[in-house]
Amino acid sequence: YFAYQHNTVFVRYRLTKGAAPVRLKLKPAVHFRGHDDHVGTPRGAPVALTAVDDRYELSCGDTFPVLKLSLDGGTNVGFTVRGERVPDVVYRVEESRGYEFRGVLSAPGFFRLDLAPGQEATLVCSTEPWEQVRAVSPAEALSAELARRRQLVEQAAPGARTGFAAELVLAADQFIFTPVARVAGDAPGHGEGPRSIIAGYHWFTDWGRDTMISLEGLTLTTGRHAEARHILLTFAQHIKDGLIPNLFPERNREGLYHTADATLWFFHALNRYLRTTEDRGTLRRLLPQLRDIVGHHVRGTRFGIGVDPVDGLLSQGAEGYQLTWMDAKVGDWVVTPRRGKAVEINALWYNALRLLEQWLHEEGEKTVADVVARHAARCRESFNRRFWYEPGEHLYDVIDGPDGGADPALRPNQVFAIALDHPVLDRERWRPVLNAVREQLLTPVGLRSLAPGHPDYKPQYFGDLRARDAAYHQGTVWGWLVGPFTDAWLKVHPDDRAAPHEFLAGFRRHLGEACVGSISEVFDAEPPHTPRGCVAQAWSVAEVLRRLAQTDD
């Protein structure tokens, strides 16, 4: 177990039964490297061992923090210095993913201790100063963490306090963090400072799109309203040219802005926050920026993102960039470029316009609200006239691509035309769209990203980077999409209370498959729908938790 907001882990051993004491030998084997470095990264400086009384430190030059080790409990405790090189350690997952998979570990020696029946001992590993490491005993740290977890569950929405949902409340906690190199959401000295959401473990940082999609499930469903506000204000501090950042590269204070939808999801996240908290002060603080965002989109901003004056639809695209959530890229190959007018981008644009119109009216800015309303009405009329694909009775995925054509591929992106708070699609077309998605895309763990039978359909997300990215949005199942699909389903079938439980049931079984207690990023498109990608993904947890809590209300 870990100490909350501290870089300290406790590994507890307990002899549950036995006729006599047993002796344990614990050998820490380490490799100092960045988490993005490959496992075969050559060791720089040699690993140095320092010992003072019962405190042990491992260091490797000035680049990395010092690893502190100590033992609490047991008898006949000691440490034997015996430098050892552990060669040819095989990392099977790295091998399956096409990366370098052999590494070398350094073991400076081993701890020894005796445990009697019923006795326990704890190995403490930390990069914190010794005074912090020793300030709380392992038993006290465990007690504090259990109490904190009970509080997390107790403060969550009523529908999230028991069973499967309560487990996801605890999973949600792991994604919310304080970025140390980021502008705070409040002025210095006020509030709790910046907050953000890690998109997934092990490999991702915080992304604007993932953060805004995840905000409701991870913070509002869990009763963490103040943190939701800080997340919104933190990203608002970084708006440029009408866009919130797509991501913040690690160790970088500046964001990257190559996304067409993250900013539109910001409107959605803010609306869900306001609906939960009725925090008009935050709305008034952000309203000038929201007006500016819409103005930039109407005039046109970075990466070809802008409203087409001919039909009022939002277009996007720049050579070599992937601006929608289907953003796989290998070298110079953009797997699903989707340049042009993408279906979910325009659903989000219409939703953002209607939300801004509503907020402006509420704040007495009727003239500006009327202008925004005209943009929304034009977008809706053009959307329903141009996106309907009659042969398949569903929506085009993209229209007005670089070649002027339209893509009739059946993808899940069209569910947002129904699921959002202000659906852009005419009501009479909801049912056929939803039927097509259910019949060809729905699985027990989310929606396929492309319908079977399409020439680009890939049934498995497996292999090296190129093979995986080729399948990433070409059939691979995404768990987070179960949220908007269920929202859309309940709009079409408001009295069907059984179906949402059916749509979510597969995730309960999945909870013990990859990262115990969390939900994976993606799954294979065909049974048994093997979990793949990040073992714990923010928007997967967020959307399943959100829907569970609302379904069980």
Side-chain angles (χ1 to χ4, degrees), residues 40 55 75 134 355 438 450 532:
R55 298 177 301 175
T75 57
R134 292 298 177 86
L355 290 174
R438 185 180 190 184
L450 182 64
R532 307 285 191 183

Side-chain angles (χ1 to χ4, degrees), residues 35 60 75 91 100 133 196 237 261 268 323 364 371 391 447 455 503:
H35 74 83
C60 186
T75 57
Y91 296 82
E100 185 167 340
V133 177
S196 194
Q237 290 282 349
D261 57 347
H268 170 82
L323 302 179
V371 173
L447 301 185
F503 301 151

Side-chain angles (χ1 to χ4, degrees), residues 326-478:
M326 292 187 163
D327 57 359
K329 183 180 180 182
V330 184
D332 294 330
W333 176 38
V334 178
V335 182
T336 48
R338 304 183 71 232
R339 293 171 62 187
K341 297 164 184 173
V343 63
E344 84 282 7
I345 299 297
N346 280 279
L348 286 162
W349 172 238
Y350 176 79
N351 186 62
L353 290 171
R354 288 303 186 195
L355 290 174
L356 181 58
E357 175 197 358
Q358 170 193 330
W359 296 331
L360 290 168
H361 268 297
E362 292 170 353
E363 295 303 314
E365 299 186 35
K366 183 179 183 304
T367 301
V368 183
D370 289 344
V371 173
V372 173
R374 288 195 290 273
H375 283 295
R378 192 167 183 223
C379 173
R380 182 186 177 99
E381 186 279 327
S382 296
F383 184 96
N384 285 280
R385 174 169 50 83
R386 302 203 57 209
F387 271 94
W388 182 245
Y389 177 57
E390 184 66 39
E393 291 195 299
H394 60 79
L395 301 179
Y396 285 109
D397 189 56
V398 180
I399 63 173
D400 293 348
D403 60 358
D407 182 6
L410 178 59
R411 294 188 183 273
N413 305 306
Q414 60 196 292
V415 299
F416 297 105
I418 306 170
L420 293 169
D421 293 332
H422 294 276
V424 67
L425 184 63
D426 287 342
R427 185 178 294 269
E428 61 267 21
R429 289 175 172 167
W430 290 3
R431 190 178 294 269
V433 165
L434 206 57
N435 288 342
V437 171
R438 185 180 190 184
E439 289 169 6
Q440 299 193 56
L441 302 182
L442 182 64
T443 76
V445 283
L447 301 185
R448 295 184 179 96
S449 47
L450 182 64
H454 190 282
D456 294 330
Y457 178 75
K458 304 290 190 299
Q460 221 179 17
Y461 179 79
F462 189 73
D464 62 18
L465 180 60
R466 186 176 184 85
R468 284 182 281 114
D469 276 350
Y472 207 29
H473 301 106
Q474 303 287 48
T476 296
V477 174
W478 290 77

Side-chain angles (χ1 to χ4, degrees), residues 479-492:
W480 76 277
L481 292 171
V482 74
F485 175 79
T486 305
D487 293 339
W489 182 268
L490 289 173
K491 285 186 176 183
V492 176

Side-chain angles (χ1 to χ4, degrees), residues 260-315:
D261 57 347
T263 311
L264 306 179
W265 279 113
F266 182 82
F267 283 75
H268 170 82
L270 175 61
N271 183 53
R272 295 299 172 89
Y273 169 76
L274 296 173
R275 193 168 70 183
T276 302
T277 66
E278 299 182 356
D279 178 6
R280 306 299 298 183
T282 295
L283 172 62
R284 294 179 186 120
R285 177 173 174 173
L286 293 176
L287 204 53
Q289 289 174 285
L290 301 178
R291 290 196 302 266
D292 186 63
I293 286 170
V294 168
H296 271 91
H297 281 68
V298 170
R299 295 188 300 272
T301 185
R302 302 183 185 189
F303 305 107
I305 300 168
V307 171
D308 184 342
V310 174
D311 59 12
L313 294 172
L314 190 62
S315 186

Side-chain angles (χ1 to χ4, degrees), residues 220-242:
L220 301 179
T221 302
T222 60
R224 303 171 73 156
H225 303 159
E227 286 170 294
R229 177 177 179 272
H230 282 283
I231 289 168
L232 292 168
L233 294 178
T234 296
F235 273 85
Q237 290 282 349
H238 294 271
I239 293 173
K240 288 185 179 179
D241 299 327

